[in-house]
Structures are given as C-alpha cells and as structure tokens.
Amino acid sequence: MKKHIVVLTGAGMSAESGVKTFRDHDGLWEGHDVMNVASPEGFRQNPELVLDFYNQRRRQLKEVKPNQGHKDLAALEHDFKVTIVTQNVDDLHERAGSSDVVHLHGELLKIRSIGNPQDIKFWTEDINLGDVCDKGYQLRPHIVWFGEDVPEIETAVKICYAADILIIIGTSMQVYPAASLINYVQPDTEIYYIDPKPAIENNSNIKVIAKTATEGIKELLTLLK
C-alpha cells in the first residue's frame, strides 16, 4: 500500500511561475486596501473594482506555466498517494498533472452566484457587472474572501489526519485556518517544511529545507527515496 503524502502549498509555490504573491512588497495588494478587494464588504461597496482586480489575476494566470516544483510534486504520484491542499487559487498544480487537489481559498477559474453559493461554474474570461446566473443574481469570483467561511477546511483536516508524510511548501503558516492544519497530523507523521525564509524552526519533528519551492522539492525527492 502506497504511503500517503499530503502537501500544503502557499504563494511561494507559484511565485517561481511568475504569479505575484499577495504579501510581498510588489504583490497585488499594493495600491489597494486588502479589505477593499478581498472582502464581502468591499464587493458590496465597489463591485467593479473587485471584479477588475480578479479579472487581472485571471488574465495573468493564462500567461504563466507550472514550474518544475509543480511537476515534481505531480510525479510523486508514481510512488505515493499524493493529496495537495493549497491556499493558492491558480490551477498550476492541476496543469502540472496532480490529480487530487483541494483548494482552501477557492479557484480563480471558477465563478459563483451571489444568490446561491452552490451555483459554481468553470469560467476563464472576465466577470463584468451585469453578468448574472440563471436566476438573475450577479456572478462573483469563486474565492474565499476575508471574513468568509473556508468550506474545504474540514476536508483538509481529515486529509491531514490520514497523512503518513506532511510537506509544507511556500507558506508562512500565519494565515488561519490553513496554518492550523499542521496540528491535525498523527504524532509519528514525517513533516518537511520548504521555504527560503522559514517561519518554523528545524526541530526533532520538522525537517526544514530553507530553499525555494523548486530547489527544496528537488532536495526533498532525495530524502524520500
């Protein structure tokens, strides 16, 4: 029976593909108060601004490709059962070939109706004010905004509980509830943390690899052999 690897990924996973991160000094928050573009209140106050913000991100996503790190994680499926739990809203894990991906914070290439959160559809173009669902409600990005529930968190907790190996890549582990997932693995679970500026110290329970996602994963592959 194959060991089950669970991979938690954050913005640093996609940064090497050219996807701007939210929290870096040159990230997409610059010029915008975060609550203006990533909260239900911001959407109610200025829906056009919020739609444009995510339209720009969706256009950018079409211009980037999975990096070697994404591809190496997908290749792990040859020898392990692999589940990826990502905070990223891009589809780079899927494009690299990963078959089991849980998106905690939603997906940029999906939309939903503001009148029916379960009405979710695949969407690749801009969303404009006046684009409505079949029942006449405005469409919005299928993104978890600040102050909203994280529907997939319970699924992620169950996945982490069943992990034989936990790999954390490119996340500060400061954003909750995602940061709490490390607490749900079994005591004997192997844990690896890959980040060029790790927020967790190397200890008996966690092996820290202070490298970028692509370089860190390359080193990790030698450890897993």
Side-chain angles (χ1 to χ4, degrees), residues 51-160:
L51 293 177
D52 180 63
F53 179 81
Y54 288 98
N55 287 342
Q56 289 183 45
R57 298 197 65 206
R58 199 176 299 105
R59 289 176 209 146
Q60 184 205 22
L61 185 54
K62 296 177 183 179
E63 298 172 357
V64 299
K65 296 178 180 180
N67 59 52
Q68 190 58 47
H70 289 108
K71 296 172 184 176
D72 286 343
L73 289 180
L76 281 175
E77 293 188 18
H78 296 307
D79 301 305
F80 301 90
K81 175 183 177 182
V82 181
T83 305
I84 293 176
V85 178
T86 185
Q87 298 175 65
N88 299 334
V89 296
D90 59 61
D91 65 337
L92 296 179
H93 283 300
E94 289 90 340
R95 276 198 260 163
S98 290
S99 62
D100 187 8
V101 184
V102 175
H103 286 268
L104 285 178
H105 295 161
E107 297 178 63
L108 199 53
L109 296 182
K110 289 184 179 178
I111 54 166
R112 72 174 187 258
S113 165
I114 64 169
N116 179 9
Q118 306 308 314
D119 184 8
I120 302 166
K121 293 182 173 63
F122 183 72
W123 193 272
T124 60
E125 302 307 316
D126 287 357
I127 307 173
N128 299 302
L129 204 58
D131 289 339
V132 296
C133 70
D134 296 339
K135 295 185 178 180
Y137 292 104
Q138 174 66 41
L139 299 174
R140 56 160 279 182
H142 180 52
I143 302 292
V144 176
W145 287 330
F146 288 95
E148 293 185 322
D149 291 336
V150 181
E152 294 289 351
I153 193 65
E154 289 186 14
T155 299
V157 166
K158 292 176 183 176
I159 291 167
C160 288

Side-chain angles (χ1 to χ4, degrees), residues 207 209 211 214-224:
K207 166 67 175 174
I209 302 174
K211 294 184 177 181
T214 53
E215 289 301 313
I217 293 169
K218 188 185 301 181
E219 180 175 325
L220 176 65
L221 295 180
T222 64
L223 299 174
L224 292 177

Side-chain angles (χ1 to χ4, degrees), residues 10 14 18 29 36 49 59 80 108 117 143 162 172 182 188 193 212:
S14 296
W29 291 141
N36 289 341
L49 172 68
R59 289 176 209 146
F80 301 90
L108 199 53
I143 302 292
S172 64
I182 193 172
D188 59 346
Y193 180 44
T212 62

Side-chain angles (χ1 to χ4, degrees), residues 10-23:
M13 184 73 233
S14 296
E16 291 175 86
S17 289
V19 177
K20 289 185 179 179
T21 64
F22 279 146
R23 301 189 181 276

